[in-house]
């Protein structure tokens, strides 16, 4: 599509307070680049300071006690339904702004943006169905009411590898339950979040309900430590997640939800449908140039089928490599660049280290033309890095032990047609999501969130609703 520059000019250097794009007090700016050729997209990305963060939190607090508190559930639902409709109507432009600074391909975003709208619609549907409880039959002389109340001002801090989706995963349940929101989008790819921000007023949200303060880690840290923020929901790396938990504990003990990294395993048994497994495993690790938190980056293949599986994925990787360098905004491009030169260099450092430690099956070389493209790579043996690492196993017990031998527990995948094995293994695997004969998938109505160091709390489904509410018991004496 032709670059819709008018929108960029209207938000450059601005933050969103009370439904208006305003100039922050901070004069600090950073630059945004297109990873397909490292050209400059904008040199006016505002880095919000403490005064800007305070202003956004104050706007959200005022809105929380103001008109938003008088919205019925059905009215909140109407606003969310309208927001979803607006996102669908403007899906192509939203996808463009998601793609331009991240290198994410429009051919995938074409499907992802409507999916994001479906998440918003899912939570819109909850708005007028939120209930409490009455505990009246215990004969203890009390009539008890259990109420579920919004927390107040919630902050969302999001990563560059799927900022629009993560915005919806956090803001939709927060707003559905009556909270107000302050977003700190990622400094490498903030534009799709700004585009979404421009839709809230049109959708009928009163001023102050949804605010955006752009910035870097320093801006995020101010939100995490803020004394008037009631919850922070973060998606990103484990070290940042730790800092956010510390900041929350050292300030007002605000609620924390963390969606962190994963090195998700895929276990492939001899009775699996190999062509399907090959297709899903190759797609899982090349989607978003391997920068997907739930990607199956560790593959454990039974020794009887390992050679066939590796040969299949190698063939698919080589097909992808032959198309490398395509423009992410071109709908025929399937494989894009990594987000920036920092990430590009990091991945190549891992690959060079891997070459010393493990057998290289395919890839591993440098793309010498423009852009941050990295040929998909397979190693036999495990190394740390966003490349596919394949090892073999002999027994089911060994496969489960290998899968669980990680500090992470975000997702796992099992490829087998043996029902008893499916039931045994899915119980033993320590991960928040386990896909059976299926690749990377999220569903609006199914909870998502990690075990172990992969996170705290859940997003999606009714579990996210719980994570955005306080539970209050009111007890009324019936004694005369
Ligand atoms: P990151 O942790 O560097 O940054 C994420 C966000 O946190 C950014 O907005 C950044 O500005 C902000 N931030 C940085 N330092 C901060 C601080 N001290 N206090 C508050 N905020 C701070 O992560 P990233 O590199 O942008 O994202 C990639 C990571 O995200 C990967 O590890 C990936 O696995 C993970 N991820 C997880 C999920 C999930 O759902 N579990 C989804 C997508 C990405």
């Amino acid at each position: 599509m032709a670059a819709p520059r008018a929108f960029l000019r209207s938000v450059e250097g601005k933050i969103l307070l009370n439904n208006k794009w305003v100039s922050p007090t901070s004069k600090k700016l950073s630059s945004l680049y297109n990873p397909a050729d490292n050209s400059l997209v904008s040199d006016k990305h505002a880095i919000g300071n403490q005064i800007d963060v305070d202003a956004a939190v104050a706007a959200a607090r005022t809105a929380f006690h103001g008109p938003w508190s008088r919205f019925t559930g059905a009215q909140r639902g109407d606003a969310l339904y309208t927001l979803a409709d607006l996102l669908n109507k403007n899906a192509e432009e939203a996808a463009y702004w998601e793609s331009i600074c991240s290198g994410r391909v429009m051919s995938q975003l074409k499907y992802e943006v409507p999916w994001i709208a479906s998440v918003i619609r899912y939570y819109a549907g909850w708005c007028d169905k939120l209930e409490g409880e009455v505990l009246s039959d215990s004969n203890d002389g009390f009539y008890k009411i259990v109420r579920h109340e919004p927390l107040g001002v919630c902050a969302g801090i999001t990563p560059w590898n799927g900022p629009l989706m993560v915005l919806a995963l956090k803001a939709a349940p927060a707003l559905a339950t009556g909270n107000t929101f302050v977003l700190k989008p990622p400094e490498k790819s903030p534009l799709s979040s700004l585009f979404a921000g421009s839709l809230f007023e049109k959708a009928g949200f009163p001023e102050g309900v949804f605010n955006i303060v752009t910035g870097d880690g320093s801006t995020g840290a101010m939100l995490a430590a803020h004394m008037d923020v009631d919850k922070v929901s973060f998606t990103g790396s484990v070290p940042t997640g730790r800092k956010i938990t510390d900041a929350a504990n050292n300030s007002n003990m605000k609620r924390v939800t963390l969606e962190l990294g994963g090195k998700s395993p895929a276990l492939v048994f001899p009775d699996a449908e190999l062509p399907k497994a090959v297709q899903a495993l190759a797609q899982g690790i090349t989607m978003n140039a391997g920068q997907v938190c739930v990607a199956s980056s560790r593959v454990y293949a039974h020794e009887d089928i390992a050679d066939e599986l590796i040969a299949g994925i190698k063939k698919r990787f080589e097909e992808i490599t032959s198309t490398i360098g395509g423009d992410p905004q071109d709908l025929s491009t399937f494989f894009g660049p990594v987000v920036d030169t920092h990430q590009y260099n990091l991945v190549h450092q891992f690959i060079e280290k891997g070459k010393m430690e493990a057998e290289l099956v395919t890839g591993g070389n440098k793309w010498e033309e423009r852009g941050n493209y990295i040929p998909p790579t397979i190693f036999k043996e495990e190394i740390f890095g966003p490349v596919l690492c394949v090892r073999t196993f002999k027994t089911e017990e060994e496969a489960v032990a290998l899968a669980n031998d990680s500090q992470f527990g975000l997702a796992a995948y099992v490829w087998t047609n043996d029902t008893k094995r499916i039931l045994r293994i899915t119980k033993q695997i320590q991960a928040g999501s386990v896909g059976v004969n299926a690749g990377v998938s999220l569903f609006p109505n199914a909870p998502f969130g990690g075990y172990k160091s992969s996170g705290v709390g859940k997003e999606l489904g009714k579990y996210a609703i719980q994570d955005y509410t306080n539970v209050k018991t009111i007890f009324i004496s019936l004694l005369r």
Side-chain angles (χ1 to χ4, degrees):
M1 74 184 287
R5 293 276 154 185
F7 165 73
L8 181 58
R9 277 194 294 274
S10 69
V11 298
E12 266 182 324
K14 303 272 173 59
I15 59 176
L16 182 66
L17 298 187
N18 288 318
N19 284 346
K20 303 270 174 310
W21 292 103
V22 298
S23 297
T25 57
S26 164
K27 296 291 164 255
K28 197 170 161 197
L29 298 169
S30 68
S31 295
L32 307 173
Y33 297 93
N34 176 350
D37 56 8
N38 291 314
S39 60
L40 186 72
V41 175
S42 169
D43 57 1
K44 295 184 192 62
H45 176 246
I47 305 296
N49 63 15
Q50 189 69 55
I51 300 171
D52 303 317
V53 167
D54 288 349
V57 173
R61 179 62 63 192
T62 304
F64 180 69
H65 294 301
W68 188 235
S69 65
R70 294 187 288 279
F71 264 50
T72 63
Q75 285 173 314
R76 292 199 304 275
D78 282 347
L80 283 167
Y81 278 124
T82 311
L83 180 68
D85 289 347
L86 285 169
L87 190 58
N88 269 330
K89 225 178 264 171
N90 295 282
E92 198 184 355
E93 189 169 351
Y96 176 84
W97 292 120
E98 175 96 351
S99 166
I100 193 70
C101 297
S102 66
R104 303 197 61 206
V105 292
M106 297 268 284
S107 57
Q108 184 199 334
L109 290 164
K110 190 170 102 174
Y111 301 103
E112 191 172 303
V113 176
W115 186 87
I116 294 168
S118 77
V119 170
I120 299 172
R121 293 181 70 79
Y122 171 82
Y123 284 107
W126 268 107
C127 291
D128 58 0
K129 296 170 194 70
L130 302 170
E131 293 173 343
E133 281 175 283
V134 170
L135 313 176
S136 59
D137 290 335
S138 44
N139 286 332
D140 57 5
F142 289 94
Y143 185 89
K144 282 158 264 168
I145 301 167
V146 180
R147 285 174 53 86
H148 294 222
E149 299 181 341
L151 298 170
V153 175
C154 299
I157 301 176
T158 55
W160 45 261
N161 61 346
L164 192 57
M165 179 191 294
V166 177
L167 184 169
L169 263 53
K170 297 182 188 316
L175 299 176
T177 42
N179 298 282
T180 54
F181 206 82
V182 179
L183 177 74
K184 207 298 282 173
E187 60 272 39
K188 291 182 188 176
S189 178
L191 296 178
S192 54
S193 308
L194 303 191
F195 184 73
S198 71
L199 304 178
F200 277 77
E201 183 175 20
K202 292 179 203 140
F205 287 90
E207 60 180 44
V209 174
F210 182 85
N211 309 277
I212 301 178
V213 185
T214 55
D216 56 16
S218 68
T219 318
M222 290 166 201
L223 276 171
H226 205 286
M227 291 300 285
D228 203 28
V229 169
D230 298 291
K231 165 166 178 146
V232 59
S233 180
F234 168 74
T235 298
S237 63
V238 175
T240 308
R242 274 188 218 286
K243 287 185 198 160
I244 285 177
T245 305
D246 288 347
N249 288 345
N250 293 331
S251 53
N252 60 347
M253 300 282 280
K254 58 181 66 61
R255 303 282 190 85
V256 176
T257 291
L258 302 175
E259 294 292 351
L260 308 177
K263 287 286 293 173
S264 300
L267 279 47
V268 188
F269 288 88
D271 57 5
E273 284 178 48
L274 280 194
K276 267 178 90 177
V278 164
Q279 208 270 342
L281 292 173
Q283 191 187 1
I285 196 73
T286 50
M287 183 193 286
N288 215 359
Q291 306 162 116
V292 174
C293 57
V294 287
S296 45
S297 51
R298 298 184 287 144
V299 173
Y300 300 114
H302 189 275
E303 59 184 8
D304 289 354
I305 47 91
D307 287 346
E308 193 182 342
L309 184 83
I310 292 169
I313 301 175
K314 176 173 184 278
K315 182 165 173 279
R316 184 69 198 113
F317 275 17
E318 286 166 2
E319 283 163 12
I320 294 168
T321 301
S322 71
T323 69
I324 211 166
D327 181 355
Q329 280 88 57
D330 184 331
L331 286 177
S332 65
T333 301
F334 164 78
F335 184 72
V338 296
V339 71
D340 61 6
T341 49
H342 171 77
Q343 197 70 11
Y344 176 87
N345 291 330
L346 200 65
V347 174
H348 274 297
Q349 279 170 23
F350 285 133
I351 288 174
E352 290 313 310
K353 189 164 172 270
K355 283 180 187 167
M356 289 187 271
E357 293 172 2
E359 183 189 334
L360 180 70
V361 178
T362 187
N365 52 318
K366 278 204 167 174
W367 163 253
E368 299 296 350
E369 293 175 41
R370 69 176 188 170
N372 307 325
Y373 296 85
I374 299 178
T377 297
I378 307 178
F379 281 108
K380 282 191 190 169
E381 271 304 318
E382 194 172 324
I383 61 153
F384 188 76
V387 291
L388 192 62
C389 303
V390 187
R391 285 180 65 176
T392 58
F393 65 83
K394 285 187 171 52
T395 65
E396 187 179 304
E397 292 69 30
E398 189 189 355
V400 171
L402 286 166
N404 286 338
D405 183 19
S406 166
Q407 61 160 314
F408 297 115
L410 191 59
Y413 306 88
V414 182
W415 290 87
T416 175
N417 279 329
D418 179 336
T419 311
K420 287 184 189 157
R421 185 175 3 237
I422 291 171
L423 295 176
R424 270 194 312 272
I425 290 199
T426 51
K427 195 171 166 193
Q428 292 168 47
I429 283 183
Q430 295 157 0
S433 304
V434 185
V436 179
N437 298 330
V440 170
S441 307
L442 294 179
F443 310 91
N445 63 353
F448 170 70
Y451 279 26
K452 302 195 272 187
S453 296
S454 287
V456 175
K458 293 287 175 194
E459 296 194 311
L460 294 171
K462 64 182 176 195
Y463 296 84
I465 294 275
Q466 290 167 12
D467 280 1
Y468 281 97
T469 48
N470 266 325
V471 180
K472 178 185 281 173
T473 298
I474 300 163
F475 48 97
I476 303 168
S477 171
L478 298 176
L479 302 175
R480 285 169 170 261

